Amino acid sequence: MTAASRLQDALATKTQVWGGWVVAPTVLGPEEFAGIGYDYLGFDVQHGYLGDADVALMLRRLEHLPLATVVRLPTPDPAPIGRVLDAGADGVVVAMVECAAQAAAAVAAARYAPAGVRSFGPLRTSMGTDPAALQARVSVFAMVETTRGLAAIDEICAVDGLGGVYVGPADLAISMGHGPADAWTRRDVRDAMVRIHHTVTSAGLVSGIHAGTGTLGHAAAELGFQMITLASESQALRRGATAHLAEARGAPITAPGVQGRY
C-alpha cells in the first residue's frame, strides 16, 4: 500500500486545513508555523523571493516537522515542478490556470511515464525509490484566478489526476474589473468563489483558497473551503511587531491593515 503524504492525511481527516505562506528564504519561519499548529506551509516561487533551489533546501529542513508542504509555481513547466517534488514537497499549486490543457500539463509534470513527463530523481532517501509511491503522494492543484479560468472550471475539474483547485481572490477580482482589496467585499467576486468551490467539491476534488488573514480565513471556512492559506511569514512578523511596539508604548494594540494579496 502506498503511503499518503502529510497533506493527503490532513485533507482526509480534517474539515479545514490551515496554511502559512513563505515568500523568502527563512529558517525560523517554518518552525514557528509548525509549533503554532498550522497544517501546511506554502512556498511561493511565483511572487516570492524564492527559486526552486531555495525551496528544496528548506524542504529538507522540514522533513522532521509535523507540517505538510506545497509549492506555488508560475507555470506547469515540468523541470521546476519535478525538482520541488524530488525534494519532498507534498504538492504543487500551479498559478493562472485558465483551461483544461494547462491543468493537464501540471498533472503530467507530476507523473512519470507513460502517464506524464516527470523525470525520475528523488533527492531524499526517506522518500524511497518506488515511482508509483513517489507519484501517488503528490497532490496537484490548479490555481483558478481569472474569468477565463472561471468559465472553464467544469473542464478543469474533469482533468484526470488533478487533486484540487486553489482560488486566488485578488487576481480573480482584478479580472472582474475590481481592485484586489475588493475581492471579499464585492458580491460578484464572492459568488464566483462560491461557484468554483461548489464545482470543485461536486467533482470530488479539494477546494482551496488564499485568504491572507485569519478573518478572511474564517470567512472562507464558512463558505466551505477546506484548504485555506492564512498569513505569510512577513505578514505574521508585521502583525506581531506592531503589537509589541504598541505594548512598549502603552498604546492600544491594533492589527495593521494587511489584506491577503495573493
Side-chain angles (χ1 to χ4, degrees):
M1 180 179 293
T2 301
S5 71
R6 288 173 178 165
L7 181 62
Q8 291 166 348
D9 283 339
L11 290 168
T13 57
K14 297 184 178 183
T15 303
Q16 267 83 40
V17 294
W18 306 105
W21 206 247
V22 171
V23 299
T26 175
V27 175
L28 296 177
E31 293 182 357
E32 295 299 326
F33 278 119
I36 292 168
Y38 280 65
D39 298 296
Y40 70 92
L41 196 60
F43 295 91
D44 200 339
V45 178
Q46 181 194 17
H47 286 299
Y49 300 101
L50 294 170
D52 52 79
D54 300 311
V55 172
L57 290 174
M58 288 190 285
L59 288 172
R60 290 294 294 267
R61 298 189 185 108
L62 292 178
E63 183 173 3
H64 302 295
L65 291 179
L67 197 66
T69 55
V70 297
V71 181
R72 180 166 68 175
L73 299 122
T75 72
D77 182 350
I81 288 176
R83 284 194 291 269
V84 298
L85 295 181
D86 288 343
D90 296 318
V92 291
V93 176
V94 177
M96 302 296 283
V97 171
E98 295 186 319
C99 64
Q102 291 173 332
V107 172
R111 289 183 164 186
Y112 301 109
V117 296
R118 181 180 174 186
S119 179
F120 183 79
L123 296 174
R124 279 177 19 192
T125 56
S126 60
M127 295 170 59
T129 57
D130 177 18
L134 291 168
Q135 177 175 288
R137 70 177 300 279
V138 173
S139 299
V140 178
F141 297 89
M143 193 165 184
V144 173
E145 48 190 334
T146 65
T147 53
R148 288 182 180 179
L150 175 65
I153 189 62
D154 291 289
E155 292 83 4
I156 291 171
C157 289
V159 170
D160 181 50
L162 191 67
V165 169
Y166 186 88
V167 177
D171 277 314
L172 182 60
I174 292 171
S175 76
M176 296 176 72
H178 309 301
D182 298 328
W184 291 88
T185 58
R186 299 288 304 204
R187 179 63 181 268
D188 56 340
V189 182
R190 286 177 66 95
D191 287 347
M193 292 191 288
V194 170
R195 177 186 164 192
I196 294 170
H197 163 69
H198 286 311
T199 303
V200 171
T201 55
S202 295
L205 305 178
V206 173
S207 65
I209 194 164
H210 202 105
T213 70
T215 299
L216 296 179
H218 182 76
E222 289 191 324
L223 293 177
F225 286 91
Q226 184 183 13
M227 180 179 172
I228 304 170
T229 300
L230 305 178
S232 69
E233 89 279 34
S234 59
Q235 290 170 304
L237 173 61
R238 188 179 305 116
R239 183 171 184 172
T242 299
H244 283 300
L245 185 58
E247 289 172 349
R249 290 172 171 172
I253 299 174
T254 57
V258 177
Q259 295 292 325
R261 297 178 293 168
Y262 311 127

